[in-house]
Structures are given as structure tokens and as C-alpha cells.
Amino acid sequence: MQATPVRATAIPSFTDALRAVESLLMSNGQRTARRNAWTSVLEDRRRAKDRVEAQRVLEQSFTARP
């Protein structure tokens, strides 16, 4: 009986596969622009979360005054 051959290369993850397709379809400039846009979205979300937290702290400090 012969053993099943072992695969020498790892199967890429779904993310890796998407990045490979992206690199084939988009130029470097488009890819950079898209990544910059996503970074901006994440930063906006972080600032919004910080704003909500600051608003909550201010409201608590005003309601806690005698």
C-alpha cells in the first residue's frame, strides 16, 4: 500500500486569496487608495467611540454635582 503524498505548500487563507486577486485586478495606486480609505474609516470609528466616551464622562460629572 502506498502512502498519500504530503502537500509541500500550505493552502492559502481566504484573505490571502482575496489579496492575490486584488493584486491582479488593481494597480498599486488603486490598492493603496483603498487601504488608505479603510484606515481612515477605522480612525473615524475610533474617534467616534472616543467622543461618545467623553460625552458620557461629561454628563456623569454634571449630574454628580450637588
Side-chain angles (χ1 to χ4, degrees), residues 8-53:
T9 58
I11 298 173
S13 68
F14 184 71
T15 303
D16 292 338
L18 282 179
R19 284 194 178 132
V21 170
E22 176 190 51
S23 69
L24 292 173
L25 298 177
M26 294 181 152
S27 69
N28 283 337
Q30 288 174 326
R31 194 172 29 215
T32 300
R34 196 168 72 92
R35 287 189 181 143
N36 287 345
W38 182 244
T39 300
S40 183
V41 166
L42 295 177
E43 185 63 21
D44 287 346
R45 288 178 182 175
R46 186 194 60 78
R47 280 193 296 263
K49 183 179 173 186
D50 290 347
R51 259 193 319 274
V52 168
E53 180 65 18

Side-chain angles (χ1 to χ4, degrees), residues 45-64:
R45 288 178 182 175
R46 186 194 60 78
R47 280 193 296 263
K49 183 179 173 186
D50 290 347
R51 259 193 319 274
V52 168
E53 180 65 18
Q55 183 68 31
R56 186 186 63 78
V57 169
L58 284 172
E59 287 173 358
Q60 284 181 347
S61 68
F62 286 129
T63 57

